Amino acid sequence: MVGLDRKHWRNATAIRKIFKEAFEKSGLPYFNPHSFRNTLTLLGQTFCRNAEDLKAWSQNIGHEKVLTTFYSYGEVGTARQGEIIKGLAKPQPSLNQDVTQLAKAIAQEMRQSENLG
């Protein structure tokens, strides 16, 4: 058989062996499978814009529940934590302002289409 079997493994021994052999054949130092999840989780924390994005990202790395990703891999580094907290102090554009602008634009369009019709 070529490739990976779709049945579940009892533990991580098989995947660790696959990783170890692949790294050896490539002449690279070994990194365990979870180190990739750590890296992908950090990347997801940068790219994901909302909770739904994070849930999809979590599922994509094989976690049924997003909390698994957060509890096991979701540590925010101290420097990044400081950046986030500082960013929270900056005024954010109000969603209400965006909605108000949208409502005004729709009303204007409706008035214009009434005048044309």
Side-chain angles (χ1 to χ4, degrees):
M1 178 179 171
V2 176
L4 298 175
D5 192 348
R6 289 195 164 272
K7 69 179 179 184
H8 290 283
W9 293 328
R10 293 176 196 214
N11 56 42
T13 303
I15 193 67
R16 284 191 190 110
K17 181 179 177 191
I18 291 168
F19 268 57
K20 188 171 184 174
E21 289 173 4
F23 278 99
E24 284 174 2
K25 287 179 183 177
S26 300
L28 297 170
Y30 172 72
F31 288 93
N32 69 51
H34 279 106
S35 65
F36 286 90
R37 280 190 172 166
N38 286 332
T39 301
L40 288 171
T41 299
L42 289 172
L43 193 62
Q45 289 172 348
T46 302
F47 288 142
C48 294
R49 301 165 302 234
N50 54 47
E52 185 178 38
D53 288 356
L54 287 166
K55 174 62 176 166
W57 194 275
S58 175
Q59 287 175 298
N60 205 49
I61 61 173
H63 293 150
E64 184 177 330
K65 298 181 179 177
V66 73
L67 288 179
T68 303
T69 305
F70 285 130
Y71 288 149
S72 300
Y73 305 95
E75 184 176 327
V76 176
T78 308
R80 179 67 183 133
Q81 180 183 1
E83 291 171 5
I84 292 168
I85 297 301
K86 286 179 185 175
L88 292 173
K90 296 176 186 171
Q92 301 295 316
S94 169
L95 182 59
N96 290 337
Q97 184 179 9
D98 292 341
V99 170
T100 302
Q101 289 173 350
L102 179 61
K104 287 179 182 178
I106 291 171
Q108 183 178 357
E109 285 293 320
M110 290 174 69
R111 282 193 296 272
Q112 286 176 353
S113 57
E114 285 176 3
N115 293 336
L116 295 175

